[in-house]
Amino acid sequence: MREIEVSKITDVVEKLCIEANNHLPEDVKCAIKDCRACEDGEIAKGVLDNIIENFEIADNECVPICQDTGMACVFLEIGQDVHLTGGNLTEAVDEGVRRGYDKGYLRKSVVKDPVRRGNTGDNTPAMLYTEIVPGEQIKVTVGPKGFGSENMSQIRMFKPSHGLQGIKDFILEVVETAGPNPCPPMVVGVGIGGTFDKAALLAKKALMRPIDSSNPDAFYADLEKEMLDKINKLGIGPQGFGGKTTAIGLNIETLPTHIAGMPCAVNINCHVTRHKTEVI
């Protein structure tokens, strides 16, 4: 049994909130640059040039890539041989978010009530997801999620009779409906299976996976490639001005499900697909 003070989680969350907002992952940067090299249209090339310049400035000056610094989605994979001490885990995570958004001069974008609103003033609470895994470490991932893209996400409870074609059509429908709103080129996370809530979580977790990786199941790896190709043939293009680059990545995650269902969730992210990870 390994004891870990929750204050260590606070420190890591604080650091990752700032790093994730200031520094785009290398796989995302490379994908944007590769797409720039493939574009023909002057407008599309110009938009991608601006996007590249923007994330380079953010890197060099350690400032946020986007003014929407997101709602802090925090994923904890907690080893089953870890004993957390020194306080409440949820409060420790929120304190990390509070400090990170304050010290990093990040916009506070969270309201305390979904209907009556009222800004919490410190970007808390975090959206906290915990998973118990083997071992004696804690893997912390922070993925700030902006809502221009989050608002474009959808879930549908398919019957099995809709089949694979139903899922393919749904993914394209969601992206086409989103159009320019999520600041394309976008990253598309797809969750298939589980229950209503699990499908949505799978789609969110799919966005945390590097976009230069593939699903380990060859069937879904091929589906990822097929759907990314079809999405880019929609012609929405960078920032919606037309072009070959509507999405730079599409990841699929799956779970077993009930015999009577086939849930599918599509979580859209803009080109600023931010996430940073550290292991304690």
Side-chain angles (χ1 to χ4, degrees):
M1 182 67 70
R2 178 187 174 205
E3 289 194 350
I4 297 177
E5 288 270 347
V6 294
S7 60
K8 289 187 178 180
I9 296 174
T10 297
D11 293 341
V12 170
V13 169
E14 175 189 330
K15 181 175 73 169
L16 295 183
C17 282
I18 297 171
E19 290 182 355
N21 271 294
N22 293 351
H23 305 291
L24 208 55
E26 288 301 318
D27 58 298
V28 178
K29 292 179 189 175
C30 290
I32 293 172
K33 290 178 179 178
D34 288 346
C35 288
R36 167 62 179 83
C38 295
E39 281 288 356
D40 298 325
E42 291 304 313
I43 293 177
K45 288 192 286 187
V47 169
L48 290 172
D49 283 339
N50 289 338
I51 287 172
I52 292 167
E53 181 184 11
N54 180 66
F55 69 63
E56 288 178 344
I57 291 171
D59 267 339
N60 294 332
E61 300 186 12
C62 292
V63 294
I65 309 159
C66 178
Q67 52 82 25
D68 184 353
T69 51
M71 198 167 195
C73 297
V74 179
F75 298 83
L76 300 181
E77 294 181 20
I78 304 170
Q80 63 188 17
D81 295 322
V82 170
H83 177 216
L84 294 169
T85 63
N88 180 287
L89 175 61
T90 300
E91 291 175 0
V93 169
D94 283 344
E95 181 61 22
V97 171
R98 184 177 295 111
R99 293 181 193 174
Y101 275 73
D102 180 53
K103 293 180 182 179
Y105 300 99
L106 307 176
R107 194 183 80 183
K108 285 75 174 177
S109 305
V110 176
V111 295
K112 59 187 175 183
D113 185 276
V115 177
R116 293 170 292 179
R117 318 304 281 176
N119 200 298
T120 63
D122 57 10
N123 219 61
T124 67
M127 295 295 102
L128 178 59
Y129 309 92
T130 59
E131 182 179 354
I132 304 300
V133 298
E136 56 178 22
Q137 296 178 322
I138 300 176
K139 182 179 179 182
V140 184
T141 299
V142 175
K145 190 67 170 72
F147 263 59
S149 58
E150 190 78 349
N151 285 339
M152 297 296 104
S153 306
Q154 297 186 42
I155 187 168
R156 189 163 294 173
M157 299 300 291
F158 285 109
K159 296 177 181 177
S161 57
H162 286 93
L164 178 59
Q165 191 60 47
I167 289 173
K168 291 180 180 180
D169 292 344
F170 177 55
I171 295 170
L172 287 177
E173 176 191 330
V174 173
V175 172
E176 196 161 18
T177 300
N181 293 306
C183 296
M186 61 189 85
V187 176
V188 182
V190 180
I192 307 171
T195 52
F196 180 88
D197 55 316
K198 278 289 190 177
L201 179 56
L202 284 173
K204 180 77 72 199
K205 291 175 78 171
L207 294 175
M208 301 298 116
R209 207 181 86 206
I211 58 175
D212 56 1
S213 66
S214 298
N215 190 295
D217 184 323
F219 174 83
Y220 289 108
D222 289 343
L223 184 59
E224 289 173 338
K225 294 175 185 176
E226 177 187 346
M227 295 313 301
L228 181 60
D229 182 61
K230 287 183 175 179
I231 285 170
N232 283 324
K233 287 179 179 176
L234 291 173
I236 295 168
Q239 297 299 300
F241 291 114
K244 297 179 179 179
T245 312
T246 297
I248 54 174
L250 184 145
N251 291 340
I252 298 173
E253 296 293 328
T254 67
L255 274 177
T257 192
H258 191 275
I259 56 172
M262 192 175 62
C264 182
V266 179
N267 198 191
I268 301 291
N269 214 111
C270 64
H271 65 274
V272 184
T273 298
R274 303 161 284 194
H275 47 85
K276 291 290 182 181
T277 298
E278 185 167 317
V279 176
I280 301 173

